Coordinates of all heavy atoms in Angstrom, one line a residue:
R1 N 5.0 13.7 -13.0 CA 4.4 13.4 -11.7 C 4.5 14.6 -10.8 O 3.8 14.6 -9.8 CB 5.3 12.2 -11.2 CG 5.1 10.9 -12.0 CD 5.8 9.8 -11.3 NE 5.7 8.7 -12.2 CZ 6.2 7.5 -11.9 NH1 6.7 7.4 -10.7 NH2 6.1 6.5 -12.7
E2 N 5.4 15.5 -11.0 CA 5.4 16.6 -10.0 C 4.1 17.4 -9.9 O 3.8 17.9 -8.8 CB 6.6 17.6 -10.2 CG 8.0 16.9 -10.1 CD 9.0 17.8 -10.5 OE1 8.8 19.1 -10.7 OE2 10.2 17.3 -10.7
S3 N 3.4 17.4 -11.0 CA 2.2 18.2 -10.9 C 0.9 17.4 -10.4 O -0.1 17.8 -10.4 CB 1.8 18.7 -12.3 OG 1.6 17.6 -13.3
G4 N 1.3 16.0 -10.2 CA 0.2 15.2 -9.7 C -0.4 14.4 -10.9 O -1.3 13.6 -10.6
K5 N -0.1 14.8 -12.1 CA -0.7 14.0 -13.2 C -0.1 12.7 -13.3 O 1.2 12.6 -13.2 CB -0.6 14.9 -14.5 CG -1.3 16.2 -14.4 CD -1.1 17.0 -15.7 CE -1.7 18.4 -15.5 NZ -1.4 19.3 -16.4
Y6 N -0.8 11.7 -13.8 CA -0.3 10.4 -13.8 C -1.0 9.8 -15.1 O -2.1 9.7 -15.2 CB -0.6 9.6 -12.5 CG 0.3 8.4 -12.3 CD1 1.6 8.7 -11.7 CD2 -0.1 7.1 -12.5 CE1 2.4 7.7 -11.5 CE2 0.9 6.0 -12.1 CZ 2.0 6.4 -11.7 OH 2.9 5.3 -11.4
F7 N -0.1 9.1 -15.9 CA -0.6 8.6 -17.2 C -0.8 7.1 -17.2 O -1.1 6.5 -18.2 CB 0.2 9.2 -18.3 CG 0.1 10.6 -18.4 CD1 1.2 11.4 -17.9 CD2 -0.9 11.3 -19.0 CE1 1.2 12.8 -18.0 CE2 -1.0 12.7 -19.0 CZ 0.1 13.4 -18.5
H8 N -0.4 6.5 -16.1 CA -0.5 5.0 -16.0 C -1.5 4.5 -14.9 O -2.0 5.5 -14.1 CB 0.8 4.4 -15.6 CG 1.9 4.8 -16.7 ND1 2.0 4.2 -17.9 CD2 2.8 5.7 -16.6 CE1 2.9 4.8 -18.6 NE2 3.5 5.8 -17.9
K9 N -1.7 3.3 -14.8 CA -2.6 2.9 -13.7 C -1.9 3.2 -12.3 O -0.8 3.1 -12.2 CB -2.7 1.3 -13.7 CG -3.5 0.6 -12.7 CD -3.6 -0.8 -12.8 CE -4.4 -1.5 -11.7 NZ -4.3 -2.8 -11.7
P10 N -2.7 3.8 -11.4 CA -2.0 4.3 -10.2 C -1.6 3.1 -9.4 O -2.1 2.0 -9.4 CB -3.1 5.1 -9.4 CG -4.3 4.5 -10.0 CD -4.1 4.0 -11.4
P11 N -0.5 3.3 -8.6 CA 0.0 2.3 -7.7 C -1.1 1.9 -6.8 O -2.0 2.6 -6.3 CB 1.1 2.8 -7.0 CG 1.5 4.1 -7.6 CD 0.2 4.5 -8.3
I12 N -1.0 0.5 -6.2 CA -2.0 0.2 -5.1 C -1.9 1.0 -3.9 O -0.7 1.5 -3.5 CB -1.6 -1.3 -4.7 CG1 -1.8 -2.3 -5.7 CG2 -2.4 -1.8 -3.6 CD1 -1.4 -3.7 -5.6
G13 N -3.1 1.5 -3.5 CA -3.1 2.4 -2.3 C -3.5 3.9 -2.8 O -3.6 4.8 -2.0
Y14 N -3.6 4.0 -4.2 CA -3.8 5.3 -4.8 C -5.0 5.0 -5.8 O -5.3 4.0 -6.2 CB -2.7 5.9 -5.6 CG -1.5 6.4 -4.6 CD1 -0.6 5.3 -4.2 CD2 -1.7 7.7 -4.2 CE1 0.4 5.9 -3.2 CE2 -0.7 8.2 -3.3 CZ 0.4 7.2 -2.9 OH 1.3 7.6 -2.0
I15 N -5.8 6.1 -6.0 CA -6.8 6.1 -7.0 C -6.6 7.2 -8.0 O -5.9 8.2 -7.6 CB -8.2 6.3 -6.3 CG1 -8.4 7.6 -5.5 CG2 -8.7 5.0 -5.5 CD1 -9.8 7.8 -5.1
S16 N -7.1 7.0 -9.1 CA -7.0 8.3 -10.1 C -8.3 8.9 -10.3 O -9.3 8.2 -10.3 CB -6.3 7.8 -11.4 OG -7.4 7.5 -12.4
E17 N -8.3 10.2 -10.4 CA -9.4 11.1 -10.8 C -9.2 11.9 -11.9 O -8.2 12.5 -12.0 CB -9.7 11.8 -9.4 CG -11.0 12.6 -9.6 CD -11.3 13.3 -8.3 OE1 -11.3 12.7 -7.2 OE2 -11.5 14.6 -8.5
E18 N -10.1 11.7 -12.8 CA -10.0 12.5 -14.1 C -10.4 14.0 -13.8 O -11.3 14.3 -13.2 CB -11.0 11.9 -15.2 CG -10.6 10.5 -15.7 CD -9.3 10.5 -16.4 OE1 -9.1 11.5 -17.2 OE2 -8.6 9.6 -16.3
K19 N -9.5 14.7 -14.3 CA -9.6 16.3 -14.3 C -9.5 16.6 -15.8 O -9.1 15.9 -16.7 CB -8.5 16.9 -13.4 CG -8.5 16.4 -12.0 CD -9.7 17.1 -11.2 CE -9.6 16.8 -9.8 NZ -10.7 17.3 -9.1
D20 N -9.9 17.9 -16.0 CA -9.8 18.5 -17.4 C -8.4 18.4 -17.9 O -8.2 18.1 -19.1 CB -10.3 20.0 -17.3 CG -11.7 20.2 -17.0 OD1 -12.5 19.2 -17.2 OD2 -12.1 21.2 -16.6
S21 N -7.4 18.5 -17.1 CA -6.1 18.5 -17.6 C -5.4 17.1 -17.6 O -4.2 17.0 -17.9 CB -5.2 19.5 -16.8 OG -5.3 19.2 -15.4
G22 N -6.1 16.1 -17.2 CA -5.6 14.7 -17.2 C -5.8 14.1 -15.7 O -6.6 14.6 -15.0
A23 N -5.4 12.8 -15.7 CA -5.7 12.2 -14.4 C -4.8 12.6 -13.2 O -3.6 12.7 -13.4 CB -5.6 10.7 -14.6
I24 N -5.4 12.8 -12.1 CA -4.7 13.1 -10.9 C -4.7 11.9 -9.9 O -5.8 11.3 -9.8 CB -5.3 14.3 -10.1 CG1 -5.5 15.5 -11.2 CG2 -4.5 14.8 -8.9 CD1 -4.2 16.2 -11.5
I25 N -3.6 11.5 -9.3 CA -3.7 10.4 -8.3 C -3.7 11.0 -6.9 O -3.2 12.0 -6.7 CB -2.5 9.4 -8.6 CG1 -1.2 10.0 -8.3 CG2 -2.6 8.7 -9.9 CD1 -0.1 9.0 -8.1
M26 N -4.3 10.3 -6.2 CA -4.5 10.6 -4.6 C -4.5 9.4 -3.9 O -5.0 8.3 -4.3 CB -5.8 11.6 -4.4 CG -7.1 11.0 -4.9 SD -8.4 12.2 -4.9 CE -7.9 13.2 -6.3
P27 N -4.2 9.4 -2.6 CA -4.4 8.2 -1.8 C -5.8 7.6 -1.6 O -6.8 8.4 -1.7 CB -4.0 8.8 -0.3 CG -3.2 10.0 -0.5 CD -3.8 10.6 -1.9
D28 N -6.0 6.4 -1.8 CA -7.1 5.7 -1.6 C -7.5 5.7 -0.2 O -6.7 5.2 0.7 CB -7.0 4.4 -2.2 CG -8.2 3.5 -2.1 OD1 -8.9 3.4 -1.0 OD2 -8.6 2.7 -3.0
A29 N -8.5 6.1 0.3 CA -8.9 6.2 1.8 C -8.9 4.9 2.4 O -8.7 4.9 3.7 CB -10.2 7.0 1.9
I30 N -9.3 3.9 1.8 CA -9.4 2.6 2.4 C -8.2 1.8 2.3 O -7.5 1.4 3.3 CB -10.6 1.7 1.8 CG1 -11.9 2.4 2.1 CG2 -10.7 0.3 2.4 CD1 -13.0 2.0 1.3
K31 N -7.6 1.5 1.1 CA -6.4 0.8 0.9 C -5.2 1.5 1.3 O -4.4 0.9 1.9 CB -6.2 0.4 -0.6 CG -7.3 -0.6 -1.3 CD -7.1 -0.8 -2.6 CE -8.2 -1.6 -3.2 NZ -8.1 -1.7 -4.6
G32 N -5.2 2.8 1.3 CA -4.0 3.6 1.8 C -3.8 3.4 3.3 O -2.6 3.4 3.7
K33 N -4.9 3.3 4.1 CA -4.6 3.1 5.5 C -4.0 1.8 5.9 O -3.2 1.7 6.8 CB -5.9 3.4 6.3 CG -6.9 2.2 6.2 CD -8.2 2.5 7.1 CE -9.2 1.4 6.9 NZ -10.3 1.7 7.6
Y34 N -4.3 0.8 5.0 CA -3.6 -0.6 5.4 C -2.2 -0.5 5.0 O -1.3 -0.9 5.8 CB -4.2 -1.6 4.3 CG -5.7 -1.7 4.5 CD1 -6.4 -2.2 3.3 CD2 -6.5 -1.6 5.7 CE1 -7.8 -2.3 3.3 CE2 -7.8 -1.8 5.6 CZ -8.4 -2.3 4.5 OH -9.8 -2.5 4.5
I35 N -1.9 0.2 3.8 CA -0.5 0.2 3.4 C 0.3 1.2 4.4 O 1.4 0.9 4.7 CB -0.3 0.8 2.0 CG1 -1.1 -0.3 1.1 CG2 1.0 1.2 1.6 CD1 -1.3 0.1 -0.2
Q36 N -0.3 2.3 4.8 CA 0.4 3.2 5.7 C 0.7 2.4 7.1 O 1.8 2.6 7.6 CB -0.4 4.4 6.0 CG 0.1 5.5 7.0 CD -0.6 6.7 7.2 OE1 -1.8 6.8 6.5 NE2 -0.2 7.5 8.1
E37 N -0.3 1.7 7.5 CA -0.1 1.0 8.8 C 1.0 0.0 8.7 O 1.7 -0.2 9.6 CB -1.5 0.3 9.3 CG -1.3 -0.2 10.6 CD -2.6 -0.5 11.3 OE1 -3.6 -0.2 10.9 OE2 -2.7 -1.3 12.3
A38 N 1.0 -0.7 7.5 CA 2.1 -1.7 7.3 C 3.5 -1.1 7.4 O 4.4 -1.5 8.0 CB 1.9 -2.4 5.9
F39 N 3.7 0.1 6.9 CA 4.9 0.8 6.8 C 5.2 1.2 8.2 O 6.3 1.1 8.7 CB 4.9 2.0 5.9 CG 5.3 1.8 4.6 CD1 4.4 1.5 3.6 CD2 6.6 1.8 4.2 CE1 4.8 1.2 2.2 CE2 7.1 1.5 2.9 CZ 6.1 1.2 1.9
E40 N 4.2 1.7 9.0 CA 4.4 2.2 10.4 C 4.8 1.0 11.3 O 5.7 1.1 12.1 CB 3.2 2.8 11.0 CG 2.9 4.2 10.3 CD 1.6 4.7 10.7 OE1 0.8 4.1 11.3 OE2 1.3 5.9 10.2
L41 N 4.2 -0.1 11.1 CA 4.5 -1.3 11.8 C 5.9 -1.8 11.5 O 6.7 -2.2 12.4 CB 3.5 -2.4 11.7 CG 2.2 -2.3 12.2 CD1 1.1 -3.3 11.7 CD2 2.2 -2.2 13.8
Y42 N 6.2 -1.9 10.3 CA 7.7 -2.3 9.7 C 8.6 -1.5 10.4 O 9.7 -1.8 10.7 CB 7.6 -2.3 8.2 CG 8.9 -3.0 7.7 CD1 9.1 -4.3 7.8 CD2 10.0 -2.2 7.3 CE1 10.2 -4.9 7.2 CE2 11.2 -2.8 6.9 CZ 11.3 -4.1 6.9 OH 12.3 -4.8 6.3
S43 N 8.5 -0.1 10.4 CA 9.4 0.9 10.8 C 9.8 0.8 12.3 O 10.8 1.2 12.7 CB 9.0 2.3 10.7 OG 7.9 2.7 11.6
T44 N 8.9 0.0 13.1 CA 9.2 -0.2 14.5 C 10.3 -1.3 14.7 O 10.9 -1.4 15.7 CB 8.0 -0.6 15.3 OG1 7.6 -1.9 15.0 CG2 6.8 0.4 15.1
A45 N 10.5 -2.1 13.7 CA 11.5 -3.3 13.7 C 10.9 -4.3 14.7 O 11.8 -5.2 15.2 CB 13.0 -2.7 14.0
S46 N 9.8 -4.3 15.1 CA 9.3 -5.2 16.1 C 8.5 -6.4 15.4 O 8.1 -7.2 16.1 CB 8.3 -4.6 17.0 OG 9.0 -3.5 17.7
F47 N 8.2 -6.3 14.2 CA 7.4 -7.3 13.5 C 8.0 -7.8 12.2 O 8.6 -6.9 11.4 CB 5.9 -6.7 13.1 CG 5.2 -6.1 14.2 CD1 5.3 -4.8 14.6 CD2 4.5 -7.0 15.0 CE1 4.5 -4.3 15.6 CE2 3.8 -6.5 16.1 CZ 3.8 -5.1 16.4
T48 N 7.9 -8.9 11.9 CA 8.3 -9.5 10.6 C 7.2 -9.1 9.5 O 6.0 -8.8 10.0 CB 8.4 -11.0 10.5 OG1 7.2 -11.6 10.8 CG2 9.4 -11.5 11.6
T49 N 7.5 -9.2 8.2 CA 6.5 -8.9 7.2 C 5.3 -9.9 7.3 O 4.1 -9.5 7.0 CB 7.0 -8.8 5.9 OG1 7.8 -10.1 5.7 CG2 8.1 -7.7 5.7
Q50 N 5.5 -11.0 7.6 CA 4.5 -12.1 7.9 C 3.6 -11.7 9.1 O 2.4 -11.7 9.0 CB 5.2 -13.5 8.0 CG 4.0 -14.6 8.2 CD 3.2 -14.8 7.1 OE1 3.8 -14.7 5.9 NE2 2.0 -15.0 7.1
Q51 N 4.1 -11.3 10.1 CA 3.4 -10.8 11.3 C 2.6 -9.7 11.0 O 1.4 -9.5 11.4 CB 4.3 -10.5 12.5 CG 4.9 -11.8 13.0 CD 6.0 -11.3 14.1 OE1 6.8 -10.4 13.9 NE2 6.1 -12.1 15.1
I52 N 3.1 -8.7 10.2 CA 2.3 -7.5 9.7 C 1.1 -7.9 9.0 O 0.1 -7.4 9.1 CB 3.2 -6.6 9.1 CG1 4.4 -6.0 9.9 CG2 2.4 -5.4 8.4 CD1 5.3 -5.1 9.3
Q53 N 1.3 -8.8 8.0 CA 0.2 -9.2 7.2 C -0.9 -9.9 8.1 O -2.0 -9.7 7.8 CB 0.7 -10.2 6.1 CG 1.4 -9.5 5.0 CD 1.8 -10.4 3.9 OE1 1.6 -11.6 3.9 NE2 2.1 -9.8 2.7
E54 N -0.5 -10.7 9.0 CA -1.4 -11.4 9.8 C -2.2 -10.4 10.7 O -3.3 -10.6 11.0 CB -0.7 -12.4 10.8 CG -0.2 -13.7 9.9 CD 0.7 -14.6 10.6 OE1 1.1 -14.3 11.9 OE2 1.2 -15.6 10.1
K55 N -1.4 -9.5 11.3 CA -2.0 -8.4 12.1 C -2.9 -7.6 11.4 O -4.2 -7.4 11.9 CB -0.9 -7.5 12.6 CG -1.2 -6.6 13.7 CD 0.1 -5.9 14.2 CE -0.1 -5.3 15.5 NZ -0.4 -6.1 16.7
L56 N -2.7 -7.1 10.1 CA -3.7 -6.5 9.4 C -5.0 -7.3 8.9 O -6.1 -6.8 8.9 CB -3.0 -5.9 8.1 CG -1.9 -4.8 8.5 CD1 -1.3 -4.3 7.1 CD2 -2.5 -3.6 9.3
Q57 N -4.7 -8.5 8.7 CA -5.8 -9.5 8.3 C -6.8 -9.5 9.4 O -8.0 -9.5 9.2 CB -5.3 -10.9 8.0 CG -4.8 -11.1 6.6 CD -4.3 -12.6 6.5 OE1 -3.1 -12.9 6.5 NE2 -5.2 -13.6 6.4
Q58 N -6.2 -9.6 10.7 CA -7.1 -9.8 11.7 C -7.8 -8.6 12.1 O -9.0 -8.4 12.3 CB -6.3 -10.2 13.0 CG -5.9 -11.7 13.0 CD -5.0 -12.1 14.1 OE1 -4.5 -11.2 14.9 NE2 -4.5 -13.4 14.0
K59 N -7.0 -7.4 12.1 CA -7.5 -6.1 12.5 C -8.8 -5.6 11.6 O -9.7 -5.1 11.9 CB -6.5 -5.0 12.6 CG -6.9 -3.7 13.0 CD -5.7 -2.7 13.3 CE -6.3 -1.4 13.6 NZ -5.2 -0.4 13.8
Y60 N -8.5 -5.8 10.2 CA -9.5 -5.3 9.3 C -10.3 -6.3 8.6 O -11.0 -6.1 7.7 CB -8.7 -4.5 8.2 CG -8.0 -3.2 8.8 CD1 -6.6 -3.3 8.8 CD2 -8.6 -2.2 9.2 CE1 -5.9 -2.1 9.3 CE2 -8.1 -1.0 9.7 CZ -6.7 -1.1 9.7 OH -6.0 0.1 10.2
D61 N -10.2 -7.6 9.1 CA -11.0 -8.7 8.6 C -10.7 -8.9 7.1 O -11.7 -9.0 6.4 CB -12.5 -8.5 9.1 CG -13.3 -9.8 8.8 OD1 -12.6 -10.9 8.9 OD2 -14.5 -9.8 8.5
L62 N -9.5 -8.8 6.7 CA -9.2 -9.1 5.3 C -8.9 -10.5 5.1 O -8.4 -11.3 5.9 CB -7.8 -8.4 5.1 CG -7.8 -6.8 5.2 CD1 -6.4 -6.2 5.0 CD2 -8.8 -6.1 4.4
T63 N -9.2 -11.0 3.9 CA -8.8 -12.3 3.5 C -7.4 -12.3 3.2 O -6.8 -11.4 3.0 CB -9.6 -12.8 2.2 OG1 -9.1 -12.0 1.0 CG2 -11.2 -12.7 2.3
K64 N -6.8 -13.6 3.3 CA -5.4 -13.6 3.1 C -5.0 -13.2 1.6 O -4.0 -12.5 1.4 CB -4.9 -15.0 3.1 CG -3.4 -15.4 3.0 CD -3.1 -16.8 3.4 CE -1.6 -17.1 3.3 NZ -1.1 -18.3 3.8
Y65 N -5.9 -13.6 0.6 CA -5.7 -13.1 -0.8 C -5.6 -11.7 -0.8 O -4.6 -11.0 -1.5 CB -6.8 -13.7 -1.6 CG -6.7 -13.0 -3.1 CD1 -5.8 -13.6 -4.0 CD2 -7.5 -12.0 -3.5 CE1 -5.7 -13.1 -5.3 CE2 -7.3 -11.4 -4.7 CZ -6.4 -11.9 -5.6 OH -6.3 -11.5 -6.9
T66 N -6.5 -10.9 -0.2 CA -6.6 -9.5 -0.2 C -5.4 -8.9 0.4 O -4.8 -7.9 -0.2 CB -8.0 -8.8 0.4 OG1 -9.0 -9.4 -0.3 CG2 -8.0 -7.3 0.4
C67 N -5.2 -9.3 1.5 CA -4.0 -8.8 2.3 C -2.7 -9.0 1.4 O -1.9 -8.1 1.3 CB -3.9 -9.6 3.5 SG -2.8 -8.6 4.8
N68 N -2.5 -10.2 0.8 CA -1.3 -10.4 0.0 C -1.3 -9.5 -1.3 O -0.3 -9.0 -1.6 CB -1.2 -11.9 -0.4 CG -0.8 -12.8 0.7 OD1 -0.3 -12.4 1.7 ND2 -1.2 -14.0 0.7
H69 N -2.5 -9.4 -1.8 CA -2.5 -8.5 -3.0 C -2.2 -7.1 -2.7 O -1.5 -6.5 -3.5 CB -3.9 -8.6 -3.7 CG -4.2 -7.7 -4.9 ND1 -3.6 -8.0 -6.1 CD2 -4.9 -6.6 -5.0 CE1 -3.9 -7.0 -6.9 NE2 -4.8 -6.1 -6.3
L70 N -2.7 -6.6 -1.7 CA -2.4 -5.2 -1.3 C -0.9 -4.9 -0.8 O -0.3 -4.0 -1.2 CB -3.3 -4.8 -0.1 CG -4.7 -4.5 -0.5 CD1 -5.5 -4.3 0.8 CD2 -4.9 -3.3 -1.3
L71 N -0.4 -5.9 -0.1 CA 0.8 -5.7 0.6 C 2.0 -6.2 -0.1 O 3.1 -5.8 0.1 CB 0.7 -6.1 2.0 CG -0.2 -5.5 2.9 CD1 -0.3 -6.1 4.2 CD2 -0.1 -4.0 2.9
T72 N 1.9 -7.2 -1.0 CA 3.1 -7.9 -1.6 C 4.0 -6.9 -2.2 O 5.3 -6.9 -2.0 CB 2.6 -9.0 -2.6 OG1 2.1 -10.0 -1.8 CG2 3.9 -9.6 -3.2
P73 N 3.5 -5.9 -3.0 CA 4.6 -5.1 -3.7 C 5.3 -4.2 -2.6 O 6.5 -3.8 -2.8 CB 3.6 -4.0 -4.5 CG 2.4 -4.9 -4.7 CD 2.2 -5.7 -3.6
Y74 N 4.6 -3.9 -1.6 CA 5.3 -3.0 -0.5 C 6.2 -3.9 0.3 O 7.2 -3.5 0.7 CB 4.2 -2.3 0.3 CG 3.4 -1.3 -0.6 CD1 2.2 -1.6 -1.1 CD2 4.0 -0.1 -1.0 CE1 1.5 -0.7 -1.9 CE2 3.4 0.7 -1.8 CZ 2.1 0.5 -2.3 OH 1.5 1.2 -3.2
V75 N 5.9 -5.1 0.6 CA 6.7 -6.1 1.3 C 8.0 -6.2 0.6 O 9.1 -6.1 1.1 CB 6.1 -7.3 1.6 CG1 7.0 -8.4 2.2 CG2 4.9 -7.1 2.7
E76 N 7.9 -6.3 -0.7 CA 9.0 -6.6 -1.6 C 10.0 -5.3 -1.5 O 11.1 -5.4 -1.5 CB 8.6 -6.8 -3.0 CG 7.9 -8.4 -3.1 CD 7.4 -8.5 -4.6 OE1 7.4 -7.7 -5.3 OE2 6.9 -9.7 -4.6
F77 N 9.3 -4.1 -1.5 CA 10.1 -2.8 -1.4 C 10.7 -2.8 -0.2 O 11.9 -2.4 -0.1 CB 9.1 -1.7 -1.7 CG 9.7 -0.3 -1.6 CD1 10.5 0.2 -2.5 CD2 9.6 0.3 -0.2 CE1 11.1 1.4 -2.4 CE2 10.2 1.5 -0.1 CZ 11.0 2.1 -1.2
L78 N 10.1 -3.0 1.0 CA 10.7 -2.8 2.3 C 11.8 -3.9 2.5 O 12.7 -3.4 3.2 CB 9.5 -3.2 3.4 CG 8.4 -2.1 3.5 CD1 7.3 -2.6 4.4 CD2 8.9 -0.7 4.0
T79 N 11.6 -5.0 1.9 CA 12.8 -6.1 2.3 C 13.9 -6.0 1.3 O 14.7 -6.7 1.4 CB 12.1 -7.4 2.3 OG1 11.4 -7.8 1.1 CG2 11.1 -7.6 3.4
S80 N 13.8 -5.2 0.3 CA 14.9 -5.0 -0.7 C 15.8 -4.0 -0.2 O 15.5 -3.4 0.9 CB 14.4 -4.7 -2.0 OG 13.8 -3.3 -2.0
N81 N 17.0 -3.8 -0.7 CA 18.0 -3.0 -0.2 C 17.9 -1.5 -0.8 O 18.8 -1.0 -1.3 CB 19.4 -3.5 -0.5 CG 19.8 -4.7 0.4 OD1 19.3 -4.7 1.5 ND2 20.4 -5.5 -0.3
H82 N 16.7 -0.9 -0.7 CA 16.6 0.5 -1.0 C 17.1 1.3 0.2 O 16.8 1.4 1.2 CB 15.0 0.9 -1.2 CG 14.5 0.3 -2.4 ND1 13.8 -0.9 -2.4 CD2 14.4 0.6 -3.6 CE1 13.4 -1.3 -3.5 NE2 13.9 -0.3 -4.3
Q83 N 18.0 2.3 -0.4 CA 18.7 3.1 0.7 C 18.4 4.6 0.4 O 18.4 5.0 -0.6 CB 20.2 2.9 0.6 CG 20.5 1.5 0.8 CD 21.2 1.1 2.1 OE1 21.7 2.1 2.8 NE2 21.2 -0.1 2.5

């Protein structure tokens, strides 16, 4: 992973691009901004995860399904005890 090569499906918010030496992952310009904004909002400690999902749904006109699909893995990460 240090070289940017990735041999599995990229995480949500990233895309993979085939290169001669293997697949390289890079941020997804569209989905990445949703996820980045969710982290930024969460870091303020002013919003619950539910409020963040609702805020992003309204701001970007996302369906509830899309918002949940994009953010659920990250919400689980944020709300677990990662130190």
Side-chain angles (χ1 to χ4, degrees):
R1 291 185 189 185
E2 290 177 18
S3 65
K5 295 178 187 166
Y6 205 76
F7 299 99
H8 303 284
K9 181 179 175 185
I12 294 174
Y14 290 86
I15 57 172
S16 99
E17 183 176 305
E18 291 295 322
K19 298 285 185 183
D20 293 336
S21 58
I24 306 289
I25 64 168
M26 58 192 67
D28 181 316
I30 297 170
K31 293 177 185 173
K33 73 179 176 185
Y34 307 145
I35 294 165
Q36 180 178 353
E37 187 167 345
F39 272 94
E40 289 170 356
L41 290 169
Y42 188 81
S43 72
T44 68
S46 299
F47 303 97
T48 66
T49 54
Q50 181 65 36
Q51 290 171 321
I52 292 169
Q53 288 186 344
E54 290 169 1
K55 192 173 195 62
L56 295 178
Q57 274 180 259
Q58 292 173 355
K59 182 175 181 177
Y60 297 108
D61 196 29
L62 300 173
T63 64
K64 186 173 184 175
Y65 173 82
T66 299
C67 198
N68 286 338
H69 176 71
L70 287 172
L71 299 178
T72 296
Y74 295 99
V75 168
E76 289 171 358
F77 174 80
L78 289 171
T79 56
S80 66
N81 288 325
H82 288 93
Q83 306 251 341

